[in-house]
């Protein structure tokens, strides 16, 4: 059974989703997470989902703002069995969980990077900032000309021809000179078999796609090119920043059109029985209780009888009598053998 995680927050036209089949899936803000959510309320390593046979277990990784299943907050490290259709929340971000027989996502690491970039771009657009990646002529006779890399995996062509994306006037340049592609969180370039060639970071650019670092220059004849990626810069800044604490009075309701799953207390007791993780001592029983968020009324529960933690007065009396009897028996045996 594969696990599909659907992003239910944000305003993307189609809710992005990842289908994974791995022993451990880490959700967080850092680049190394399998599900990368660039929101400051999400901790760098916020939560993890682990396989247990055909089941999946959710754990909070001691995050700043907590991990929720519906309206119920999980205690850090406490395992919670997931069921298909449930909604979980990490920071401000809502995710839907589906457990189903479907093919896994191809190149998930690349896709999660693209998702993170798309979310940051959406945030910048919402703030009225230009989020476009632009390739600029920074030196040479065509200084000031630029092209926008709007789409992923689309080839953009620089050259002297008419039907290219960035036209340069250098007569020694080929009609289709260099191709530039935006892929994942990087920009790649390759020479299209031009007559006079091109260089990237002072090395000859070949016919294979080559990573183009943001701080280096692509040179075609007398023109030098660089690109500016405000989305990548914002994503890097988000990853370096500290966690943002969610205000107590901030409303974090599930997205419209979705239904919050049952609370943890409504699970069958057998679903939680015997859940232990790979820590040496497992998870203590006290850590399995979930703490509800403030706007969910707490259920009344019958008080448990107090457990004895030491000897009471009856125990002490019985012990004294037993010791006295043993002592008298020992004295009687001594007199018997002496006689």
């Amino acid at each position: 059974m594969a696990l599909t995680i659907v992003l239910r927050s944000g305003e993307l036209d189609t809710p992005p989703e990842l289908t994974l089949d791995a022993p451990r899936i880490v959700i967080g803000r850092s680049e190394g997470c399998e599900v990368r959510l660039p929101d400051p309320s999400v901790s760098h390593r916020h939560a993890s989902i682990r396989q247990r046979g055909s089941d999946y277990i959710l754990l909070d990784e001691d995050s700043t703002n907590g991990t929720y299943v519906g309206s119920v907050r999980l205690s850090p490290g406490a395992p919670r069995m997931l069921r298909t259709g449930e909604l979980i929340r990490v920071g401000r971000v809502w995710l839907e969980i589906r457990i189903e027989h479907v093919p896994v996502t191809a190149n998930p690491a690349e896709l999660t990077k693209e998702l993170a970039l798309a979310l940051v771009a959406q945030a910048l657009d919402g703030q009225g900032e230009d989020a476009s990646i632009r390739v600029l002529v920074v030196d040479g006779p065509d200084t000031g000309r630029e092209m926008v890399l709007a789409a992923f995996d689309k080839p953009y062509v620089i050259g002297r021809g008419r039907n290219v994306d960035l036209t340069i006037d250098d007569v020694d340049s080929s009609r289709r000179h260099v191709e530039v592609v935006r892929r994942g969180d990087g920009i790649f370039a390759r020479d299209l078999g031009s007559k006079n060639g091109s260089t990237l970071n002072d090395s000859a650019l070949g016919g294979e796609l080559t990573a183009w670092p943001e701080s280096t220059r692509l040179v075609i004849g007398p023109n030098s090119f660089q690109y500016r990626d405000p989305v990548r810069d914002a994503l890097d800044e988000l990853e370096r920043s500290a966690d943002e604490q969610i205000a107590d009075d901030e409303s974090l309701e599930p997205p419209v059109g979705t239904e919050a799953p049952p609370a943890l207390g409504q699970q069958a007791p057998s679903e939680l029985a015997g859940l232990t993780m790979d820590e040496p001592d497992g998870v203590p029983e006290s850590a399995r209780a979930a703490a509800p968020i403030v706007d969910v009324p707490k259920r009344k529960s019958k008080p448990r009888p107090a457990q004895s933690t030491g000897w009471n007065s009856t125990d002490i009396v019985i012990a004294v009598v037993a010791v006295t009897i043993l002592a008298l028996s020992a004295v009687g045996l001594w007199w018997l053998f002496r006689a």
Side-chain angles (χ1 to χ4, degrees):
M1 296 284 282
L3 180 77
T4 299
I5 300 175
V6 185
L7 178 66
R8 287 300 182 187
S9 296
E11 299 178 356
L12 298 177
D13 295 335
T14 302
E17 59 183 58
L18 288 169
T19 300
L20 304 166
D21 186 4
R24 178 177 297 189
I25 300 167
V26 178
I27 302 171
R29 183 156 39 104
S30 65
E31 184 176 1
C33 296
E34 283 76 20
V35 181
R36 189 175 174 189
L37 301 173
D39 188 283
S41 67
V42 178
S43 296
H44 292 89
R45 183 186 174 94
H46 196 108
S48 64
I49 299 175
R50 308 184 193 182
Q51 278 187 338
R52 183 177 181 269
S54 60
D55 297 323
Y56 286 91
I57 309 301
L58 174 67
L59 295 100
D60 179 78
E61 298 284 350
D62 199 20
S63 62
T64 297
N65 291 303
T67 301
Y68 292 78
V69 179
S71 59
V72 179
R73 181 169 182 166
L74 305 184
S75 297
R80 204 288 193 180
M81 186 178 294
L82 291 172
R83 292 173 292 178
T84 190
E86 288 188 312
L87 293 176
I88 67 174
R89 178 166 65 81
V90 291
R92 295 187 180 90
V93 182
W94 283 96
L95 304 169
E96 180 184 351
I97 300 299
R98 297 176 187 165
I99 302 172
E100 51 194 354
H101 289 288
V102 293
V104 298
T105 300
N107 300 320
E110 182 175 323
L111 184 59
T112 195
K113 287 182 180 180
E114 292 181 2
L115 170 59
L117 290 168
L119 293 172
V120 173
Q122 180 191 74
L124 291 177
D125 287 339
Q127 297 170 6
E129 299 182 30
D130 186 2
S132 303
I133 298 179
R134 299 178 182 274
V135 175
L136 310 168
V137 182
V138 295
D139 192 20
D142 293 306
T143 297
R145 295 190 180 184
E146 64 179 44
M147 70 175 178
V148 176
L149 306 182
F152 289 98
D153 291 319
K154 176 184 175 181
Y156 292 85
V157 178
I158 303 172
R160 188 167 48 88
R162 293 182 178 179
N163 298 321
V164 295
D165 301 283
L166 177 54
T167 303
I168 52 179
D169 294 331
D170 177 35
V171 295
D172 292 326
S173 298
S174 297
R175 297 182 183 277
R176 294 173 59 86
H177 202 111
V178 166
E179 180 181 277
V180 179
V181 178
R182 179 183 178 186
R183 180 172 295 172
D185 63 346
I187 304 298
F188 299 80
R190 69 185 183 100
D191 193 276
L192 296 175
S194 62
K195 179 180 178 181
N196 294 313
S198 52
T199 61
L200 179 62
N201 197 22
D202 297 327
S203 298
L205 182 62
E208 300 293 329
L209 282 176
T210 304
W212 182 0
E214 189 172 2
S215 58
T216 61
R217 291 192 176 193
L218 169 70
V219 177
I220 302 175
N223 289 305
S224 296
F225 301 77
Q226 280 188 297
Y227 71 88
R228 301 287 184 268
D229 187 354
V231 177
R232 174 71 176 272
D233 294 343
L235 181 59
D236 290 343
E237 184 177 350
L238 272 171
E239 290 182 348
R240 292 191 300 267
S241 64
D243 296 351
E244 177 188 338
Q245 182 74 49
I246 295 177
D248 293 338
D249 58 351
E250 184 172 343
S251 177
L252 293 168
E253 295 297 323
V256 176
T258 60
E259 204 171 287
L264 180 61
Q266 297 174 351
Q267 279 187 269
S270 60
E271 292 185 19
L272 294 177
L275 292 186
T276 56
M277 302 285 61
D278 54 3
E279 288 77 9
D281 299 323
V283 178
E285 189 65 27
S286 60
R288 301 181 191 276
I293 57 178
V294 293
D295 59 349
V296 176
K298 295 183 179 180
R299 299 180 180 181
K300 294 182 179 180
S301 58
K302 297 180 180 179
R304 296 181 179 180
Q307 296 181 355
S308 174
T309 58
W311 287 18
N312 55 30
S313 57
T314 304
D315 295 332
I316 295 173
V317 170
I318 293 173
V320 170
V321 171
V323 171
T324 303
I325 292 172
L326 289 174
L328 292 174
S329 299
V331 171
L333 287 174
W334 178 76
W335 279 105
L336 178 63
F337 284 110
R338 183 178 180 186

